[in-house]
Amino acid sequence: MLVLKLDKSILIWEHNGLMDDLEYAEKAMLRTRRYEESGYRQHRDLIITYEDDIRTPQQIENIIKRYIFF
C-alpha cells in the first residue's frame, strides 16, 4: 500500500500475512529486496508488517502514529 504522509513523502506499507506459504514467502522476500534496491529503507519509507505485528487494533494504531503521523 502506498501512503502519502503528512509531510507529503511516500511510505510503502507492505503486509506479509501468509508467510507460512512457501511460494508467498519467497515472493514477499523478493518484493522486499526490490524495494531496497529501489532505495526504500525499513523504518524510514518502507514498513513491512507480519501477522504478529497487527494482532490488535492498538498495534495497528501504534504503527500508523509512529510512521505516518510522526
Side-chain angles (χ1 to χ4, degrees):
M1 167 184 0
L2 287 175
V3 177
L4 186 61
K5 298 188 321 185
L6 292 177
D7 67 359
K8 305 296 187 217
S9 63
I10 293 176
L11 172 77
I12 295 176
W13 186 342
E14 185 75 34
H15 179 71
N16 295 324
L18 300 172
M19 296 303 279
D20 292 339
D21 178 313
L22 182 58
E23 184 178 343
Y24 179 93
E26 289 173 352
K27 289 178 182 178
M29 300 316 292
L30 178 60
R31 281 192 307 272
T32 298
R33 191 173 327 123
R34 286 183 180 154
Y35 288 135
E36 291 172 349
E37 289 170 354
S38 296
Y40 291 95
R41 295 291 174 255
Q42 177 78 332
H43 304 297
R44 185 188 71 197
D45 48 16
L46 173 63
I47 304 305
I48 300 173
T49 54
Y50 301 89
E51 286 303 303
D52 287 342
D53 298 325
I54 61 163
R55 292 222 179 265
T56 69
Q58 184 63 42
Q59 288 174 301
I60 297 169
E61 185 176 323
N62 289 341
I63 292 169
I64 291 170
K65 284 180 181 177
R66 181 174 181 185
Y67 295 104
I68 299 174
F69 296 118
F70 66 91

